[in-house]
Amino acid sequence: MSSSGAKKLWGGRFSGATDPLMEAFNESIHFDRRMFAADIRGSQAYAKALLKQGILTADEQQTLDAGLQAVQKEWEANTFELKSGDEDIHTANERRLGELVGAVAGKLHTGRSRNDQVATDMRLWLRTEVERLHSYLRSLVGALVERASTDIDVLMPGYTHLQRAQPIRWSHLLLSYAFWFQQDAQRFEQFLPRVSQLPLGAGALAGNPFQVDRTWLAQELEFDSVAPNSLYATSDRDFVAEFLFHASLVMVHVSRLAEDLIIYSSAEFGFVKLADAYSTGSSLMPQKKNPDSLELLRGKCGRVFGSMSGFMMTYKGLPSTYNKDMQEDKEPMFDAVDTLSGSLQITAAVISTLKVNAERMKGSLTSDMLATDLAEYLVRKGVPFRETHHISGAAVKMAEDKSCQISDLSVQDLQSLHPMFEDDVLLIWDFERSVDNRSSIGGTSRVTVQAQIDQLTQWLN
């Protein structure tokens, strides 16, 4: 057994040395160091709260504040020197503060535990990151809306079961994703008040014996509310679980968009072409242009979902309040933030630089996709839809038997299926007309697609 010789925050109870392997296993500084600014901000506020309670003098509080500012500048300048025994960001900051200001640094932790400290740091850090991710979601919605506005006259096949179904506007498809990402942004907005709940002042579990003003602390740190129960305050990680769920759902939407674009960019479809900046080639086949950006986006969905499911398995079996298992809450959160951040920015860039082959999309429209319009023609003549559905199906079968397109059937052919077909039935073989007939709210007509663009533009503004 050996020990670093550094004085540990919890070392007074122990006389034996710690196994170096255990020291490495126990430490979290290599990943939680990224919360240095949140940790320092929380400590500065807590020092002011101790001043209010007479635990610190004004001079002591000012000394601590100046020392903490100096520590933060070292982190920002990448000159902070980690030392043996800096097991986490709290220990490292307090150790360095002591080196800078002396014994008064030992007063900072009065009534405070790393249990309420780390929960505060995480909430402060995540709150800022969620606000940043929210801005990336808005940018992605903006890219989709701009693209939809530019390409509003482009028609394409709409698919169900990956089979051609009905003609739609390309913009209509883009906007379906825009509304998903808008909901993702709204979920983050609704989530923020639950993140913004102050644990600081809860102590290790039982509360603070020096009656620090937690309401004042919440205001100082810009929290919306104070965690109402100290046991709950130190052990709650629902905000991590909820964030990981929201992040997973965002990535599901990213993955589905990526999957559509991967399919549409293939030679078999040729509807879209990715910019070179977001594609790569093959090490063997020189003709290849691979949609690697989209494939990575699709793959990273599994990564974020894995973070969520892994954390939930850790979280589910914990007794109340803080347990060391909860050290496993940070890496999934950090990784999900990083993955989401890169994914949203890449997705927006792919959309903005995509080239659309409008002629190829239009050329993929076939008249059998208007079979429903044929049924609707008879509905407008008063024939029940269930009957017209069968009649239209019979027309499809007739065209197959004649080895022709359904639009090539004559009026007489159609009249052999139902007497209410007239010469004006030939007008339905028009894709623009079909699309613009879908003019109820949310439909694919030009008017309703423009209304969707306007709705999202108003939200963005």
Side-chain angles (χ1 to χ4, degrees), residues 228-270:
N229 177 287
S230 61
L231 304 178
Y232 156 80
T234 56
S235 62
D236 174 57
R237 294 296 185 272
D238 285 9
F239 68 96
V240 177
E242 187 177 352
F243 168 72
L244 292 173
F245 169 75
H246 292 320
S248 296
L249 195 54
V250 172
M251 288 305 298
V252 165
H253 300 147
V254 168
S255 179
R256 292 186 66 179
L257 174 57
E259 173 69 2
D260 272 344
L261 295 178
I262 288 167
I263 292 170
Y264 296 155
S265 67
S266 66
E268 286 72 17
F269 281 76

Side-chain angles (χ1 to χ4, degrees), residues 89-323:
I89 186 61
H90 328 297
T91 309
N93 281 344
E94 186 170 335
R95 185 266 307 162
R96 182 59 180 145
L97 179 64
E99 292 173 352
L100 292 173
V101 304
V104 69
K107 288 191 173 186
L108 179 59
H109 213 55
T110 304
R112 183 174 67 166
S113 165
R114 283 188 295 177
N115 296 358
D116 60 339
Q117 185 177 1
V118 68
T120 303
D121 288 2
M122 290 176 68
R123 288 175 181 270
L124 281 170
W125 184 88
L126 184 58
R127 187 176 66 188
T128 299
E129 294 302 313
V130 168
E131 289 167 353
R132 185 167 61 90
L133 293 172
H134 182 270
S135 72
Y136 292 154
L137 278 165
R138 288 176 60 85
S139 295
L140 176 52
V141 171
L144 288 162
V145 168
E146 183 176 353
R147 187 94 221 196
S149 183
T150 300
D151 296 341
I152 194 168
D153 291 320
V154 177
L155 302 189
M156 68 175 293
Y159 295 86
T160 63
H161 309 277
L162 265 183
Q163 306 295 313
R164 292 174 185 171
Q166 290 180 296
I168 61 170
R169 294 187 185 277
W170 159 243
S171 296
H172 195 208
L173 177 64
L174 293 175
L175 292 170
S176 70
Y177 285 103
F179 281 108
W180 264 318
F181 291 123
Q182 180 198 36
Q183 285 207 346
D184 289 327
Q186 290 169 340
R187 272 186 282 270
F188 276 149
E189 293 166 12
Q190 295 155 5
F191 167 59
L192 276 170
R194 290 188 288 281
V195 180
S196 193
Q197 193 174 59
L198 179 79
L200 192 57
L205 74 161
N208 189 290
F210 299 100
Q211 293 77 51
V212 294
D213 188 342
R214 298 187 66 213
T215 301
W216 179 89
L217 274 170
Q219 294 169 350
E220 178 73 6
L221 292 171
E222 300 177 280
F223 278 84
D224 291 349
S225 62
V226 176
N229 177 287
S230 61
L231 304 178
Y232 156 80
T234 56
S235 62
D236 174 57
R237 294 296 185 272
D238 285 9
F239 68 96
V240 177
E242 187 177 352
F243 168 72
L244 292 173
F245 169 75
H246 292 320
S248 296
L249 195 54
V250 172
M251 288 305 298
V252 165
H253 300 147
V254 168
S255 179
R256 292 186 66 179
L257 174 57
E259 173 69 2
D260 272 344
L261 295 178
I262 288 167
I263 292 170
Y264 296 155
S265 67
S266 66
E268 286 72 17
F269 281 76
F271 291 174
V272 298
K273 184 178 180 181
L274 266 68
D276 287 350
Y278 302 102
S279 308
T280 65
S282 165
S283 61
L284 177 66
M285 298 166 284
Q287 83 280 10
K288 294 291 294 298
K289 181 177 180 179
N290 299 325
D292 281 15
S293 57
L294 297 172
E295 291 170 357
L296 284 168
L297 290 169
R298 185 176 59 185
K300 287 182 183 295
C301 176
R303 178 183 183 131
V304 175
F305 183 86
S307 292
M308 180 188 72
S309 59
F311 172 69
M312 290 294 279
M313 290 305 98
T314 299
Y315 193 39
K316 73 172 183 63
L318 300 181
S320 59
T321 55
Y322 184 83
N323 298 269

Side-chain angles (χ1 to χ4, degrees), residues 50 113 121 204 314 325 327 347 350 369 383-384 397 407 417 456:
L50 293 177
S113 165
D121 288 2
T314 299
D325 316 49
Q327 186 161 290
T347 305
V350 167
M369 298 174 67
V383 183
K397 178 67 165 58
S407 57
L417 300 174
L456 286 166

Side-chain angles (χ1 to χ4, degrees), residues 406-424:
I406 189 173
S407 57
D408 294 330
L409 296 177
S410 67
V411 175
Q412 290 74 27
D413 288 332
L414 294 173
Q415 286 175 337
S416 71
L417 300 174
H418 198 281
M420 297 195 73
F421 282 117
E422 300 178 20
D423 289 347
D424 62 349

